[in-house]
Amino acid sequence: MKEAIYDYIIVGAGSAGCVLANRLTEGGHHRVLLLETGGSDKSIFIQMPTALSIPMNTRKYAWQFETEPEPYLDNRRMHCPRGKVLGGSSSINGMVYVRGHARDFDEWQEQGADGWDYRHCLPYFRKAETWAFGGDEYRGGSGPLGVNNGNNMQNPLYKAFVDAGVDAGYFATDDYNGARQEGFGAMHMTVRNGRRWSTANAYLRPAMERDNLTVVTHALVHKILLEGKQATGVCYEKDGKLVDVKASAEVILSAGSIGSPHLLQLSGIGNRDVLEQADIPVNHELPGVGGNLQDHLEFYFQFRCKEPVSLNGKLDWWNKLKIGVRWLLKKDGLGATNHFESCGFIRSRAGVEWPDLQYHFLPAAMRYDGKEAFNGDGFQLHIGHNKPKSRGSVYVQSDNPRQPPRIRFNYLQHEDDRQGFRDCVRLTREIVNQPAMDKYRGPEIQPGVDVQSDEEIDAFVRQAVESAYHPSCTCKMGVDEQAVVGPDTRVHGITGLRVVDSSIFPTIPNGNLNAPTIMVAERAADLIRGLEPLNPSNAPVAMDEQWRDRQRPGGARREIA
């Protein structure tokens, strides 16, 4: 049988891979093979937004990775699920659409990712998106990715939380993905016509109608095929058989921040000591592969609610059935939202230039697995310090592609990260105790009023924090010795090989990662095709000009210790 040869092979049909599959097959000029270890995303539990906790915790749809004991979290092993299905993590995530602050991308440029500053990234955010309220100089009006506000904050608790932030002296922001991120306002989600709008729905399904795209599911890639310093294809396993397939142009890894460095290492590309310890021959020494691992942590600040308006009354089987039936018939109601419909982005201290704390507000008190936290009504704020200085790693353990890599984030290793969570506790209490919440605020359940001192907060945080599921930065983009890819997304020292996914972020943005991952893939698709980049934007960015001297525009000054 004649060996199939494609122009491009994309490994991973996730948030980035689906974008690339669409863009690289536009016009019909290139033959593209897209390989995905998982299978179909057509489950109701994936497509119905309110069911988000199910696919994330299901082995069929997600790699259920677990970290090594985390030394600064009392040696807890942390859950690290990654998408294993068409759409990847965009098919199992919380659907929250946050681009990050403009300065996050300027930071990339400053770290050597030339051309990835906010002015050059904003046009690609706009290209990807159709914003429910119409396009402007910040928001897209005709892109594949549908973005809205779910049920438009019909529950009164959403607005009460936003008003409480304003009462506490913070900005109100009309659009945190627009001119001003800092402040409190409505939260956005990747939902369209009541369905999860993953990159599988937004990008891959239209592309699968094209003759020049081949999608192979249940395909486990074993390694990249190399001839010297040239990537020529990949070896993958399908139905128990190994298949070698060639790429005449490039191999593109879009397997995510765990999968992409692991596959490079399985192919003998990486840190020499790591490869030799795993008995893998060194084909190309690249020290930074798998290093620089970053993530967001968060915990739930939970309160009882004095009014019977929370979603806790909707968690019994009968109400869940009614919500599900309505969604099946009409694609609306409580089934058509992720329930994170208001949010906040604030700075932890004076002297912090742009927001480093993020709130997701939920009008219920419950766990990530969808079970109620206690009997009765309640609400919770997911709060985290989003610009961590701690760094971890993803390192291969053997040449067996089925053996998970060794993952260690070193969460809270850096004192600034621990201080960030102390600020989370104290600032959140102040916000929730504003007059706007008086009608609803009951007793504090978690952390509990007895958690006050630095030592008490630190102990609580070590036991209570969970991953926000934003692993990133393990194949960082740049030109220094630890960089894995250049600003063109090509792997340093290897011809015909790129990495395009959240692993190439130099630093983690202040926000959820699906939106910037899609943006990176959109921009990379133009680089790969040799197209002129979109014209940089001159849209202004609103900042607190007195950030050096105040923690918030209308509040007391908080100095950096």
Side-chain angles (χ1 to χ4, degrees):
M1 189 173 79
K2 186 177 180 181
E3 182 182 59
I5 298 180
Y6 297 86
D7 296 300
Y8 297 99
I9 298 172
I10 303 167
V11 179
S15 299
C18 290
V19 175
L20 294 174
N22 183 300
R23 297 306 188 191
L24 296 183
T25 55
E26 287 178 330
H29 303 301
H30 305 298
R31 293 188 64 201
V32 176
L33 172 65
L34 178 63
L35 299 172
E36 169 55 45
T37 307
S40 171
D41 65 328
K42 293 184 177 179
S43 166
I44 183 177
F45 299 119
I46 290 176
Q47 299 300 325
M48 182 167 63
T50 195
L52 62 95
S53 67
I54 296 175
M56 184 181 296
N57 292 287
T58 303
R59 290 191 177 277
K60 180 179 179 180
Y61 301 124
W63 300 97
Q64 301 295 327
F65 293 122
E66 189 177 64
T67 71
E68 296 290 295
E70 290 290 345
Y72 306 95
L73 294 185
D74 295 339
N75 288 316
R76 294 165 57 203
R77 290 183 181 269
M78 304 292 282
H79 186 213
C80 183
R82 296 286 83 204
K84 188 177 65 173
V85 61
L86 292 178
S89 292
S90 76
S91 288
I92 69 166
N93 68 1
M95 292 156 283
V96 175
Y97 183 83
V98 182
R99 294 173 174 177
H101 194 277
R103 288 287 289 119
D104 289 321
F105 306 102
D106 295 342
E107 184 177 67
W108 290 6
Q109 170 97 5
E110 293 160 5
Q111 294 211 5
D114 189 49
W116 291 88
D117 59 330
Y118 180 67
R119 292 183 65 241
H120 289 86
C121 290
L122 178 55
Y124 288 95
F125 279 118
R126 295 182 67 249
K127 179 180 181 180
E129 176 193 40
T130 292
W131 173 228
F133 300 103
D136 57 26
E137 61 182 333
Y138 301 96
R139 306 307 297 261
S142 58
L145 193 69
V147 181
N148 67 17
N149 179 238
N151 285 330
N152 298 316
M153 299 201 301
Q154 292 179 20
N155 190 300
L157 287 167
Y158 292 123
K159 188 174 187 302
F161 172 66
V162 173
D163 291 344
V166 176
D167 285 349
Y170 298 97
F171 292 112
T173 180
D174 291 335
D175 183 358
Y176 64 82
N177 285 311
R180 182 187 299 282
Q181 186 194 59
E182 186 172 359
F184 288 75
M187 182 161 257
H188 312 155
M189 63 188 74
T190 48
V191 173
R192 190 176 207 170
N193 298 325
R195 296 174 62 202
R196 174 193 290 271
W197 213 240
S198 64
T199 55
N201 284 333
Y203 287 90
L204 184 57
R205 291 232 148 66
M208 289 175 74
E209 301 298 320
R210 301 169 187 160
D211 293 337
N212 58 328
L213 174 64
T214 300
V215 179
V216 179
T217 57
H218 305 293
L220 177 65
V221 177
H222 282 222
K223 63 181 179 179
I224 303 157
L225 300 177
L226 297 169
E227 293 181 6
K229 302 294 185 180
Q230 167 83 39
T232 60
V234 301
C235 171
Y236 71 91
E237 182 180 342
K238 170 79 173 177
D239 298 328
K241 298 179 181 179
L242 292 180
V243 180
D244 286 357
V245 63
K246 295 298 184 70
S248 62
E250 292 180 325
V251 174
I252 306 167
L253 303 188
S254 295
S257 289
I258 307 299
S260 287
H262 190 220
L263 186 52
L264 286 172
Q265 293 164 349
L266 286 169
S267 307
I269 302 170
N271 183 292
R272 178 176 293 275
D273 291 342
V274 172
L275 298 178
E276 290 179 347
Q277 190 172 11
D279 292 324
I280 295 174
V282 179
N283 290 318
H284 180 63
E285 188 170 3
L286 201 55
V289 173
N292 196 44
L293 175 63
Q294 299 167 47
D295 189 19
H296 291 146
L297 284 173
E298 65 179 15
F299 69 88
Y300 313 155
F301 223 117
Q302 295 179 327
F303 292 82
R304 291 192 180 273
C305 184
K306 295 190 293 188
E307 297 286 330
V309 295
S310 79
L311 298 179
N312 283 68
K314 306 290 187 183
L315 297 178
D316 60 280
W317 73 269
W318 175 242
N319 275 291
K320 286 183 177 179
L321 178 62
K322 289 194 295 183
I323 291 168
V325 169
R326 175 171 175 172
W327 183 84
L328 284 169
L329 295 175
K330 302 175 68 175
K331 298 296 186 292
D332 65 3
L334 292 177
T337 174
N338 62 11
H339 305 293
F340 295 115
E341 295 186 21
S342 65
C343 64
F345 298 88
I346 65 174
R347 293 176 295 111
S348 57
R349 310 194 139 221
V352 174
E353 186 179 356
W354 68 95
D356 59 338
L357 306 184
Q358 178 182 2
Y359 290 99
H360 300 64
F361 183 84
L362 184 69
M366 60 198 302
R367 305 196 312 244
Y368 243 131
D369 60 8
K371 297 178 180 178
E372 62 185 354
F374 50 77
N375 293 326
D377 283 278
F379 60 86
Q380 68 191 36
L381 300 81
H382 295 217
I383 172 66
H385 177 246
N386 271 11
K387 296 297 289 183
K389 293 183 179 178
S390 302
R391 299 291 184 264
S393 58
V394 175
Y395 288 151
V396 66
Q397 298 192 76
S398 76
D399 62 359
N400 180 359
R402 285 186 168 78
Q403 182 175 15
R406 186 172 68 253
I407 303 168
R408 177 174 288 154
F409 287 92
N410 289 318
Y411 291 121
L412 302 185
Q413 178 185 46
H414 199 286
E415 170 61 21
D416 286 0
D417 300 349
R418 298 191 288 271
Q419 181 59 52
F421 274 93
R422 295 170 199 144
D423 292 332
C424 285
V425 171
R426 292 177 174 129
L427 293 172
T428 302
R429 280 184 174 139
E430 182 185 10
I431 291 165
V432 177
N433 279 285
Q434 296 300 315
M437 295 296 292
D438 285 351
K439 180 179 178 181
Y440 305 106
R441 182 185 59 254
E444 179 182 316
I445 302 301
Q446 182 175 289
V449 294
D450 56 330
V451 177
Q452 296 289 339
S453 69
D454 284 1
E455 293 75 17
E456 290 164 345
I457 292 172
D458 289 350
F460 163 77
V461 168
R462 287 196 301 270
Q463 284 296 310
V465 286
E466 299 181 11
S467 172
Y469 308 128
H470 300 158
S472 53
C473 308
T474 48
C475 297
K476 69 173 284 190
M477 177 167 46
V479 293
D480 61 87
E481 290 184 357
Q482 292 300 307
V484 175
V485 303
D488 57 3
T489 73
R490 289 188 171 101
V491 174
H492 289 304
I494 299 288
T495 305
L497 181 61
R498 296 185 195 246
V499 183
V500 179
D501 55 33
S502 62
S503 72
I504 71 172
F505 296 0
T507 55
I508 192 168
N510 177 42
N512 308 67
L513 298 194
N514 191 229
T517 301
I518 292 168
M519 176 277 294
V520 161
E522 283 278 17
R523 190 166 190 275
D526 279 0
L527 293 173
I528 292 166
R529 293 179 292 180
L531 301 179
E532 285 295 318
L534 298 179
N535 291 329
S537 170
N538 291 314
V541 177
M543 305 280 289
D544 183 359
E545 295 180 355
Q546 299 182 53
W547 61 268
R548 292 179 180 85
D549 301 312
R550 65 187 187 187
Q551 181 261 335
R552 72 195 96 168
R557 173 173 170 163
R558 288 176 58 87
E559 296 285 359
I560 293 181

